[in-house]
Amino acid sequence: MRPGEATPAQGDPTNVPGRADEEGHGRPHGDQPALADLLLLERDREQAVLSAVIGELRSGRPALVTVTGEPGAGQGELLRWAARHAAERGLCVLTARATPAERDLRYGVVGQLLSGHQRFADQLPHLLLDQGGPGRFPGLTRLLTVARERPTLLVVEDIHQLDPDSLRWLEALIRRLPRAPLAVLTGSIRTADIGLDWCAGNPLTGSATTVELALPGLTRTGTADAVRAFCGALGDRSFVAAVADATGGNPAVVRDTLRRFSRAGHPPDAGHVGHVRALAAEVTGEHAAAALDGVRDPVALDVLRALAVCDDLLDFPLVLTLGERGALSETRLRAALLDSGLVTVRDGRFRVRGPVVRARVIEGMSIAERADLHARAAELAHRAAADDQGIGDLLLPARPVGAPWVVDTLCRAAAAALRGGRRDRAAAYLSRALAEPLSEETRIRVLLRLARVELVIAPVAAGRRMGGIIREPGEAAADFRARAGDLCLLGGDTDTARRALAEFLAGRRPDEARGTPPGPEAAEEATARHEELTALFRVTQPLRRTPGEVAFPPAPELPRTSRNPAVNGVRAWETAVRGVDCEEARRQARTALAPDPSGRLPLTVPRLLACRTLLLTEDGEEAETHLCALLAEAHRAHCSVSVARVLALRAELHLRHGRPDLAARDLAAADRELPPDSRHPLSYPYWTALGILTDLADGRPDRARAAAGRPVPPPAEESVSGARLLFARGLLAQADDDPHQARSLFRTCGRWLLQYGWTNPALLPWRSGAAEAAHALGDTAQALRLAREELELAERWGTPGSIGAAQLCLATMSGEDRVQRLRWAVDSLGRAPSRTAYTRAVVALASAESGEPDRATAVAAPAADGAGNGGAGPYGVVARRPGVSAPPPTGALADAPPSAWRSLSPGERAAAALAAQGLVNREIAAALSVTTRTVELRLSGVYRKLRIRGRDELRALVQGTQED
């Protein structure tokens, strides 16, 4: 403020007509309040205090008022309002404003104050130059004389920029305040936490009023008022919240942000939240740049940059060691930083105001200067034992340091970031570690850690990294090749793993050692590594159409006997998929899951294959125990891909055991660990198929149809997991009563599996599905051939569940020996883990036996439709057409009290038949493809309509009918 700005005659520049239009508010001047009113939002309390001080000053009571706040809080607007208010009430008002440009000018602010009064105008040069003796303060005595004649208000803005002589002059004036009706009103950007030390020790007594006003930021209500004033409409709640958060409630930033927003003519709604946030960041940066231009001391600027780099990681005395302090004391530096308005004090610590301001402060440095400052700050933070992630953030833009502690710190920071779910930050730390000078072994170790993180955020890039580790020449990578191949397969990138493993194994002998003839231990170690790589290579499967120019060598044979868990796990899986020796597959799987006698950490993929083998051998409880142990291990390693794969396999286990709700829960947890958008394209068929099977078993066909309709990347359809997706789509077509589509999908699935020699019906019973579809289409010969072939293969494998499911399927195709086959199916499935298939077999047997007049023990049950008798398979998926209820029961229960029975709905009759047979609600729900709650409601209706009180009376009613 220049001299005389606050006098009524000169007025306020914000009240000049047409000024609002020039400011770009976008509306006529008469449609909005004056800009000064907007700058004084929520300042009613402060205005009331200042009005009271001015009123007391008119009565002769002196006062000292200091107004503090962060830059842009409105100190200047409030002081100018007080000056106008005092002038309107007849007081003498003298104003001045300290500026950085006049900081080196002696008595610069004093000259502004005194020039505002005619008594000093003529003699001002003489007063400022006549400073002969000590203790002389130009014009001070005459000012006190003027104040005794007429109460006077002195208004000084930005006192933190005062020149030293003006500061001493004001201190002298304040010491003399009780002698005259004079008030001093000052404004500063220093916060209330620091206080004002320039008036310390003044002898004011009760004869003078002392007030310190700390201006807060705008509240949500005040921000909403500003939005309405600038935009001419009420702002949406989310819009107002965005403005308040992005600006921090700073009135100046709010004003400039809304001014720019209103120019575009956008409505203040939720759709423009991102736009107003961007404008707020832009305005904040411009304010910071303007304040930065005012920092003229190079020492203060150097320390400010160091403070911006370190943020709140280091204490202020440590930050000072990063800059060139020169002759400035710590106290002077603190004052200079606070005077800039770019620094605040929170909890007693100096901090740069927000990330936007920090970025603007650092932008003024060259790239080399920034890299050097970050490196020095990181080294200082390391010596101060600061937080690992904080040091890691300093190291990200720093030049290579070359110290051993750097890589260790970055790896610990990455682990901490993973624990907090910040995978992007963890990848950044590990990528930065690779910029340091590293040994070959350390470099490969860091590369493997980085690839494990990137499996979730950039799976294709992670596959390339792991392929490079597998191909890495030299013995430095010997301990990491198998780990890289294991992770690559877990991520689903079987193509990259196959290519890399093939290239490495083609040029590597199993007995190679580190440049010298191997001893027994070294040879054994080299053999174990070679066996692991060979086992992983046998797991990979080529795409259906591999380019002719890419020739892969045949997979090497695995040793028949080995103590290597990887070998045993893969051999168990190969035995299982061929379906030739159940006991041998079980033995090999258990050996693979036993602790490694050599003490090496086993690979994950072979152990998952061993657990999958135990599912096929119907040792589900044992497999679940091992899966829980694998899940805990994956969580400890913070490997999201491993966690997701283990959860997916456990979901398959739950499906095979008739627990679709638990399968859905595990699959949802796997989606959280490894989101669908983060999966490798080659793994899409596996996850899609598992989702379809889970949704079908859980009674959500609409979701299954939506998943089946999503496009799959072309290379993924040609992978081995594409057969699983074909099978799932076949079950969905079967449930939708589309036998033509179902048969085509099942047969295509079978051709794809047979290409790799996967003949075990316990894996994917595609033959029974195709047989049921052919039977529905009237092709009985093909249906019988497929059903008998599946039974033959199931008997060769030898597990009760697969044999029982094949018997059940064949019984629905052939009328001869139907009842006997159903009895065999019930006997086999009774020893299998899946209760769903057993329940369906019991229902089918009861339906068949009820038609035999010579069996008095026949129990009636609803006859399942043709597609449902054998279509559950190993996944408990009931292939029924949605909305089609089971046919009404036949036999004894159908003849129970006719009038009452006819009142039952078809669903209630089916539930009553199964309940009379002794099935529990969960088994009834599985048999009828409904929820347990639906079964409860249906049975309640049965009891009410038949006027009975429970299952005992229902069974008695059935038995009585049978005896009749």
Side-chain angles (χ1 to χ4, degrees), residues 20 30 60 98 122 131 135 160 191 301 380 435 452 486 490 498 511 552 589 599 717 735 862:
D122 298 336
Q131 303 167 24
H160 55 280
T191 62
L301 181 61
L380 181 61
R452 185 172 65 185
D486 191 49
L490 283 173
R498 181 174 180 80
D511 59 346
F552 289 107
E717 292 182 343

Side-chain angles (χ1 to χ4, degrees), residues 6 40 178 207 222 230 338 452 468 471 567 734 747 839 905-906 942:
L40 292 173
S207 61
F230 274 96
L338 289 171
R452 185 172 65 185
R471 297 183 180 94
V567 172
Q734 199 175 53
R747 293 182 64 181
T839 301
S905 67
V942 170

Side-chain angles (χ1 to χ4, degrees), residues 25 108 253 296-297 305 370 503 558 578 609 636 708 734 751 785 808 843 880 927 938:
H25 292 190
V253 179
R296 301 180 180 276
D297 192 325
R305 289 171 173 173
R370 271 180 276 173
E503 291 179 19
L558 292 173
R578 290 196 303 267
L609 293 176
R636 287 194 299 270
Q734 199 175 53
R751 287 194 296 270
R785 179 179 60 80
L808 182 60
V843 171
R880 309 182 63 89
R938 290 180 180 179

Side-chain angles (χ1 to χ4, degrees), residues 3 26 213 246 317 622 645 694 751 962:
L213 298 176
E622 184 178 352
R645 282 289 186 172
T694 303
R751 287 194 296 270
Q962 291 172 351

Side-chain angles (χ1 to χ4, degrees), residues 458-501:
V460 177
R464 288 196 293 265
R465 289 190 190 277
M466 290 181 288
I469 294 174
I470 296 172
R471 297 183 180 94
E472 186 78 28
E475 289 301 323
D479 293 331
F480 305 102
R481 291 191 184 97
R483 297 287 168 202
D486 191 49
L487 279 174
C488 202
L489 291 176
L490 283 173
D493 193 358
T494 56
D495 191 44
T496 297
R498 181 174 180 80
R499 293 169 185 269
L501 288 168

Side-chain angles (χ1 to χ4, degrees), residues 25 27 31-33 37-39 41-42 218-245 247 249 251 253-263 266-270 272-273 276:
H25 292 190
R27 288 176 301 278
D31 293 341
Q32 62 180 0
D37 294 335
L38 295 176
L39 297 176
L41 277 174
E42 297 188 316
L218 293 179
T219 64
R220 292 289 174 91
T221 302
T223 305
D225 293 340
V227 170
R228 183 176 184 181
F230 274 96
C231 300
L234 288 174
D236 184 82
R237 180 176 298 179
S238 60
F239 182 87
V240 173
V243 173
D245 293 340
T247 62
V253 179
V254 170
R255 175 196 62 197
D256 293 346
T257 300
L258 293 177
R259 177 187 299 161
R260 298 187 185 186
F261 182 83
S262 65
R263 285 175 181 169
H266 297 310
D269 55 19
H272 293 88
V273 165
V276 79

Side-chain angles (χ1 to χ4, degrees), residues 13-103:
T14 61
N15 290 326
V16 176
R19 178 63 179 268
D21 294 342
E22 295 173 1
E23 294 292 346
H25 292 190
R27 288 176 301 278
H29 175 73
D31 293 341
Q32 62 180 0
L35 185 59
D37 294 335
L38 295 176
L39 297 176
L40 292 173
L41 277 174
E42 297 188 316
R43 298 294 181 246
D44 297 339
R45 181 183 69 87
E46 290 80 4
Q47 287 177 303
V49 171
L50 293 177
S51 295
V53 168
I54 292 171
E56 292 182 353
L57 179 59
R58 293 183 63 195
S59 302
R61 184 179 180 90
L64 171 63
V65 181
T66 57
V67 180
T68 62
E70 67 175 17
Q75 302 95 313
E77 286 76 13
L78 190 60
L79 265 59
R80 286 190 284 273
W81 174 87
R84 292 194 303 271
H85 186 63
E88 291 170 357
R89 303 189 67 176
L91 298 181
C92 176
V93 179
L94 303 178
T95 63
R97 180 178 182 180
T99 62
E102 297 181 356
R103 195 161 190 174

